[in-house]
Amino acid sequence: MNKKELSNPVFIISLIIVGAMAIWSVAGNESFAAVANICFGVLTSDFAWLYLIAMLVFFFFMAWCAFGKFGKIRLGADDSRPEFKNFTWFGLLFGCGMGVGLVFWGVAEPLTHYLYPQAGTGIEAATPGAADFALSSFFMHWGILPWANYAVVGLALAYFMYRKNKKGLISVMLVPLIGEDRANGWLGKLIDIIAVFATVAAVVTSLGLGVIQINTGMNYMLGVPNTLTVQILIIAIITVIYTASAVSGIEKGMKIISDTNLYIAIGLMIACFLIGPMVADLNGLTQGIGNYIRDFFSVSLGISGYDADANSWVGSWRVFYWAWFIAWAPFVGVFVAKISKGRTIREFVLGVALVPAIASCVWGAIMGNLGINLVEIGRMTIEAAQQAVADPSAGLFVILQQYSVFGIPVGQILCFVALVSLLFFFITSANSGVYVLSMLTSEGNLNPSNFKKILWGIIIAVVCIGLLMAGGGGSGALKPLQTISLVAAFPFILVMFAICGSFKKTLAQEETKTLEKERIEELKSLLQTEKVEA
C-alpha cells in the first residue's frame, strides 16, 4: 500500500472513529451499553416516522426507475453485457444482502409474532389469525422494501461507475446535486465517512447475530458452552476464512463460496418444506402475500400518535429492521454495483428488489410455519414455544429438533445443515463487507489492496467482539448490536434522499443528451438525402 492510500482522509478518520468505538465498547462496556439504550429509545420513539417514510420513498423511486422511460439504459456502454451469470449474481447479492439475518430470524420471528402479536391490532395470540399476522409481518420486514432500499445505492453507483466511468464512492453519486468541488471536498469526504461507519455497523450487527446463533447451534448439537469466550474464538477462526476469501477476489474465492452457499440454503429450504406442514406452507405463503399486498401502504406507514404499546412493537421490530437495512445500503449497494456491470436499469431493479424479495417470502413461509405448526397441531405447548423464542438464536435449532420422518430424527441432520449454511452466510456477508470497506477507503478503487482487506477484516472482528462484550455475550448482546445499526443509519437516510434526487437529475440530463444526439442524426440524414436528390 502506498503513502497516498495511507494519507487518505476517509480511511484515517473512519479508522479513528471505528477504533474509538471498539475501544469504548471493550474498555467501558457498561457506559457503552447505557448510551446505546438511550439512543435506541430516542430513535425508535421520536424518529420512527422518518424510517417508515424513507423506505416507502425508496420503493417508489425504484419502481419509477424500472418501469419508466429509463428502464432500458444499460449500466455501462450500450453494447456491454453482464459479467456474471444470473445464478451467481443472485447468490452474491443474496448472500451479502440478507443471508445471516434470514437464517437467524426465519423460524424465530414468525413464531414470536404468532405468540406476541402487535398490541392494538385486536389479534389474539396463538390463533390462526395470529399465524396470518406473523407471516404477513415477516413478509413486510424481509420483502421488497429492504431490497428496494439496497437498489437505490446500487443502481445509482453502478450507473456512475460503469456508464460515467467514475470512482466507486458514495460521494460520486451526489456530484450532479452538490457539484464536483463539494463532492471532492470536505462534504464528499464526510458522506464517504458516514457510509464507512454505516457499513461497519451493518456488517458487525449481522456478524454478531451470526456468531451468537452459531454458538447456540454448537451448544445444542455438540454441547459446546454458550459463552462469550467461545464466541470470541468463533470470530477469530472465521475472520481468517472470510478475510482470505476477500483477498482472493470476487471471481475466485467469493464466487465459489457464494455458489456453494446458495445450493446449501436451497437444499435446506426444500428439506424443511418436505418434512414440514406442506399445505400450511403453501396456504400461508398465498395468504401472507395477499395480506402483504392488501395492507402494504397502511402497514408501511403504520405508526400511532398515542398508542405507546403498539409503537413499542413497531420500534422493536419494523424500525429496527429499517435502520438495519438502511445501514446495510452502502455496503450492499456498493457490492451489488460492483457485480452488475452490463445489466439494464430495469433488469437491475427486478433482479435486486423483486426476485430476492420473493425468495425471502418463500423462505419465511416454510421456516416460519415449522414452529407455528407445532403449536397449532398440539405437539408443542404455548409455554414451550415461548421458551423457544425467548432466545431467538436458539429458535431454529429447538424447532428443527422436533421433526422426524418414520422415527428418524431428520431434524438433527437439518440442524447441522442449518449450522453449515449459517457459517457460509456469515463468511459471504463478511467478505463482501471487507471488500466494500476496502473500496470506500481506497478512493473507490475497484481492486483495493490486500493490506486494506486484511486490516478491515481484523477491525470488523474487533468491533464485533467489543459489542458482544458490551451486551455480555449471548442474547443479551442483541441490544447494543441493534442500537449501533440505528445510530449509523440515521444520517444515511438523508444521504439516500440526496442520491435519489441526484440520480433523477442525471437521468434527465442523459435524456436531454440522447434527444439532442437523435436530432443531430436526423438532421445529418436529412441533409444527406437532400444532397443526393440535388
Side-chain angles (χ1 to χ4, degrees), residues 65-66 70-71 73 75 155 343-349 503 507:
C65 288
F70 304 109
I73 294 176
L75 303 175
L155 177 60
R343 297 185 182 275
T344 65
I345 288 178
R346 182 171 297 124
E347 183 182 6
F348 179 95
V349 174
F503 189 49
L507 290 176

Side-chain angles (χ1 to χ4, degrees), residues 15 77 91 136 147 192 219 237 246 270 298 301 408 438 443 464 470 497:
L15 208 58
S136 299
W147 289 101
D192 291 330
N219 175 262
I237 294 172
I270 292 173
S298 61
L301 300 175
I408 302 172
S438 301
E443 304 239 345
C464 188
F497 282 148

Side-chain angles (χ1 to χ4, degrees), residues 96 100 195-211 242 324 327-328 330-332 426-437 456-457 459-461 463-464 467 481 484-485 488:
C96 80
V100 172
V196 170
F197 181 66
T199 298
V200 171
V203 175
V204 166
T205 301
S206 294
L207 298 192
L209 296 177
V211 167
Y242 72 65
W324 188 15
W328 270 63
F331 153 45
V332 179
F426 186 116
I427 294 167
T428 304
S429 295
N431 61 25
S432 304
V434 166
Y435 191 91
V436 168
L437 286 168
W456 278 115
I459 290 171
I460 287 173
V463 176
C464 188
L467 290 174
L481 289 170
I484 195 64
S485 284

Side-chain angles (χ1 to χ4, degrees), residues 271-277 370 373-374 377 379 397-415:
C272 288
F273 175 71
L274 293 176
I275 69 165
L370 287 175
N373 174 65
L374 293 175
I377 64 175
R379 282 183 56 189
F397 304 104
V398 172
I399 297 302
L400 281 179
Q401 285 183 340
Q402 305 298 317
Y403 283 88
S404 61
V405 176
F406 302 119
I408 302 172
V410 294
Q412 290 279 8
I413 300 172
L414 293 181
C415 281

Side-chain angles (χ1 to χ4, degrees), residues 83-98:
E83 296 177 325
F84 295 95
K85 294 180 179 178
N86 285 340
F87 185 83
T88 298
W89 187 55
F90 289 136
L92 286 167
L93 69 90
F94 196 80
C96 80
M98 286 293 185

Side-chain angles (χ1 to χ4, degrees), residues 94-162:
F94 196 80
C96 80
M98 286 293 185
V100 172
L102 274 176
V103 177
F104 188 94
W105 292 111
V107 169
E109 185 188 339
L111 184 56
T112 302
H113 296 329
Y114 171 74
L115 298 171
Y116 307 103
Q118 182 182 4
T121 59
I123 299 172
E124 186 178 347
T127 61
D132 292 338
F133 169 80
L135 292 183
S136 299
S137 296
F138 187 90
F139 294 173
M140 172 58 67
H141 295 154
W142 298 90
I144 199 166
L145 287 180
W147 289 101
N149 152 76
Y150 295 155
V152 168
V153 177
L155 177 60
L157 187 58
Y159 177 90
F160 281 101
M161 283 198 309
Y162 297 127

Side-chain angles (χ1 to χ4, degrees), residues 13 34 40 71 96 98 116 127 191 221 230 258 260 267 271-272 284 300 302 342 359 365 392 425 495 524:
I13 297 174
F40 187 86
C96 80
M98 286 293 185
Y116 307 103
T127 61
I191 290 168
M221 297 174 60
V230 174
S258 176
T260 305
C272 288
S300 296
F425 273 127
V495 175
K524 285 182 178 179

